Amino acid sequence: MDRITRVRKKMQQASLDAVLFYKPENLFYLSGFTGTTGYVLITPSDKYFLTDFRYFSQVKEQAPEFELVPLDYAHPVRSRIEELTRGILGFEEEHMIVEMYDELKETYEGELQPMRRFIEELRMMKDEQELITMQKAQDIADETYMEILEIVSAGMTEEDLAQEIYLRMRRKGASRNSFETIVASGVRGALPHGVASGKVMQRGELVTIDFGCVYEGYCSDMTRTFALGRADDHQREIYNIVLEAQLAAMEVIKPGVSTQVVDKTARDIIAGYGYAENFGHGLGHAVGLEIHENPRFSPLCDVPLKVGMVMTNEPGIYIDDFGGVRIEDTVVVTEDGYRNLTHSPKELIEV
Ligand code: ZN
Ligand code: ZN
C-alpha cells in the first residue's frame, strides 16, 4: 500500500473528510518535498501541495503527483482550504501554532479535528527503501569511525575530532550531522550529552563519541567508547558491564516484545553490578527522518515492537570524576528478531 493510500485508510477510520500536514519531515514522507514551507492537503479523491512562489519549481520536480495550489497574499492557506475541502478537517496538533489555528477556526466552515502523531505512526515502520537509505547513512558513520580510530591521538582536542568526523561524513555523501557530535573524554565522559569541547584528550582516558549523519533525509546514530592508550582495570570493568547490558538487550528484541522489557533487560544487568544510579537515561529511541522518534526503549514507554521499527540500543554508565562508557547500535526489528545496521566492532579498542 502506498503512503497516500495508507493515509486515506486512516482518514476513513477516524471519520475525517480531509487531512492537512505541514511538519517538514511529514511533507517529505508524503511527497518527497525537501523544502521547509508548505502544506499537504489530502482528501478522499485529491492530493494538493500548497505553497508560495519560492517553492513552485521544487514542488513540480519533487512532488509531481500533487496538484500545486499557489499561496499568496490574496490567497492565504485558510482561504485555499476553504476552497478545496469541507467537512471534518484533521490537523497535526503537535505542530500547528495557535495563531494559525485561530485563523482557521474563524474562517473554516467545517469542523477542525486535532490529530496526534497521524503520520508519525505510519513512519514508525520503515519500508524497504527507507531501510536501504538508513543502512547507507549508518555505513557512512561506520566507515568514518574506522577512519577516526586511525587518526585520533592524545593531544587532539575533542572539537578537532568532531570536525574530522563531520568532514569525513560529508565527503562520503552525508548532507550534515544528524545532531551535534558528542566527544566526551576523560571525566567529561560522565556527561551523557557532552558535546565536543576544547578539552585536550589525554593518554589513559576513555573517549565516548556519539555521532551520526543525515543521508537522503534519514538519520544515523551510533556511539563508541575507546581508550587512548591502555585502559586500566576499572575502565575495562565498566566497559564490559555496558557491553554485557547492550548484548543482552539485543537478544530480547523481536516483534511483540514491549519496549519497556528491552529497557529493563539492560537496566537490570547494570543494576546487578551496583550501577543503577549511573544509568540515568532510556535505553534507546526510534530513529528515521528525525533523530529521536517514538517509540522509546524506556521505563516509561510500553509499546510492542513491530517489524520495520528502527531503534537504537545505547546503555551507558556515567560516574562523576571518573568518566563514562556508552555503546550504541541502531537495529531494525525483523520477523525473527533484529538486524543490526551498525557494523563497527564493540570490543574495547585501545588506540
Ligand atoms: Zn547517539
Ligand atoms: Zn541515540
Side-chain angles (χ1 to χ4, degrees):
M1 219 189 302
D2 74 21
R3 292 173 187 175
I4 302 298
T5 308
R6 283 157 71 206
V7 168
R8 287 195 174 122
K9 206 173 147 204
K10 258 188 103 165
M11 269 168 66
Q12 205 179 7
Q13 285 162 354
S15 305
L16 298 167
D17 298 304
V19 283
L20 179 69
F21 303 104
Y22 27 88
K23 185 181 185 178
E25 289 85 356
N26 292 341
L27 298 184
F28 176 77
Y29 185 76
L30 293 171
S31 74
F33 176 72
T34 57
T36 50
T37 312
Y39 303 85
V40 161
L41 179 69
I42 297 174
T43 69
S45 55
D46 295 291
K47 46 185 201 242
Y48 304 101
F49 202 107
L50 295 75
T51 192
D52 64 70
F53 76 98
R54 291 173 297 170
Y55 296 107
F56 288 169
S57 56
Q58 194 175 347
V59 170
K60 281 176 196 153
E61 195 188 309
Q62 296 180 328
E65 287 153 30
F66 283 71
E67 186 178 327
L68 176 62
V69 179
L71 300 176
D72 54 44
Y73 294 110
H75 305 92
V77 64
R78 61 176 186 276
S79 71
R80 288 303 194 196
I81 288 170
E82 195 66 48
E83 291 165 23
L84 296 170
T85 185
R86 53 204 65 247
I88 306 174
L89 172 66
F91 67 91
E92 301 177 283
E93 67 169 21
E94 311 97 317
H95 313 304
M96 184 179 277
I97 60 169
V98 175
E99 184 183 18
M100 183 177 166
Y101 178 74
D102 286 343
E103 281 178 9
L104 265 181
K105 212 171 113 186
E106 222 165 89
T107 54
Y108 189 62
E109 291 200 2
E111 189 186 323
L112 293 174
Q113 176 78 50
M115 309 180 301
R116 186 166 293 184
R117 303 198 186 104
F118 190 98
I119 297 297
E120 283 81 352
E121 271 173 24
L122 300 179
R123 280 171 43 197
M124 279 188 195
M125 279 73 72
K126 275 68 178 175
D127 64 28
E128 217 167 305
Q129 191 51 51
E130 291 180 291
L131 291 174
I132 290 169
T133 309
M134 292 193 74
Q135 181 66 69
K136 176 71 185 165
Q138 183 53 49
D139 288 347
I140 291 172
D142 274 324
E143 283 169 27
T144 298
Y145 179 62
M146 297 316 285
E147 290 178 14
I148 285 304
L149 290 176
E150 298 295 318
I151 59 142
V152 68
S153 62
M156 278 174 88
T157 68
E158 294 174 349
E159 275 163 358
D160 291 339
L161 189 58
Q163 189 65 9
E164 287 287 346
I165 290 170
Y166 173 75
L167 291 173
R168 282 158 203 273
M169 291 196 299
R170 286 298 307 267
R171 266 185 237 129
K172 296 176 199 302
S175 54
R176 56 185 169 89
N177 288 341
S178 51
F179 56 93
E180 198 173 355
T181 298
I182 290 169
V183 180
S185 61
V187 293
R188 288 193 79 248
L191 308 169
H193 279 127
V195 297
S197 75
K199 177 185 172 298
V200 174
M201 300 183 287
Q202 320 264 4
R203 269 188 86 76
E205 288 182 337
L206 292 179
V207 181
T208 296
I209 59 176
D210 185 350
F211 65 102
C213 67
V214 176
Y215 177 76
E216 290 180 359
Y218 286 84
C219 299
S220 56
D221 188 5
M222 69 178 286
T223 307
R224 287 293 182 272
T225 300
F226 57 86
L228 279 175
R230 295 281 300 169
D232 65 28
D233 288 348
H234 190 201
Q235 290 169 332
R236 196 168 286 281
E237 179 208 332
I238 300 296
Y239 191 93
N240 288 335
I241 295 168
V242 173
L243 182 57
E244 184 184 333
Q246 205 233 21
L247 295 175
M250 285 295 190
E251 291 319 305
V252 299
I253 294 175
K254 64 175 184 200
V257 171
S258 166
T259 49
Q260 223 167 34
V261 169
V262 181
D263 178 277
K264 190 174 181 331
T265 302
R267 201 166 295 282
D268 284 352
I269 287 172
I270 289 174
Y273 286 99
Y275 291 102
E277 302 301 310
N278 303 89
F279 176 32
H281 58 75
L283 179 69
H285 53 91
V287 54
L289 290 171
E290 291 168 89
I291 186 65
H292 294 121
E293 299 186 350
N294 288 319
R296 312 281 165 144
F297 286 143
S298 148
L300 303 173
C301 181
D302 176 20
V303 172
L305 289 173
K306 286 190 186 153
V307 173
M309 285 181 173
V310 176
M311 305 291 300
T312 70
N313 174 359
E314 49 179 308
I317 292 180
Y318 312 93
I319 304 171
D320 286 342
D321 301 323
F322 165 79
V325 172
R326 179 166 65 256
I327 303 169
E328 174 181 29
D329 287 349
T330 300
V331 305
V332 54
V333 180
T334 59
E335 296 284 352
D336 50 4
Y338 71 93
R339 179 159 54 83
N340 200 337
L341 302 184
T342 313
H343 299 137
S344 292
K346 281 192 279 196
E347 72 275 15
L348 179 55
I349 292 175
E350 297 168 316
V351 293

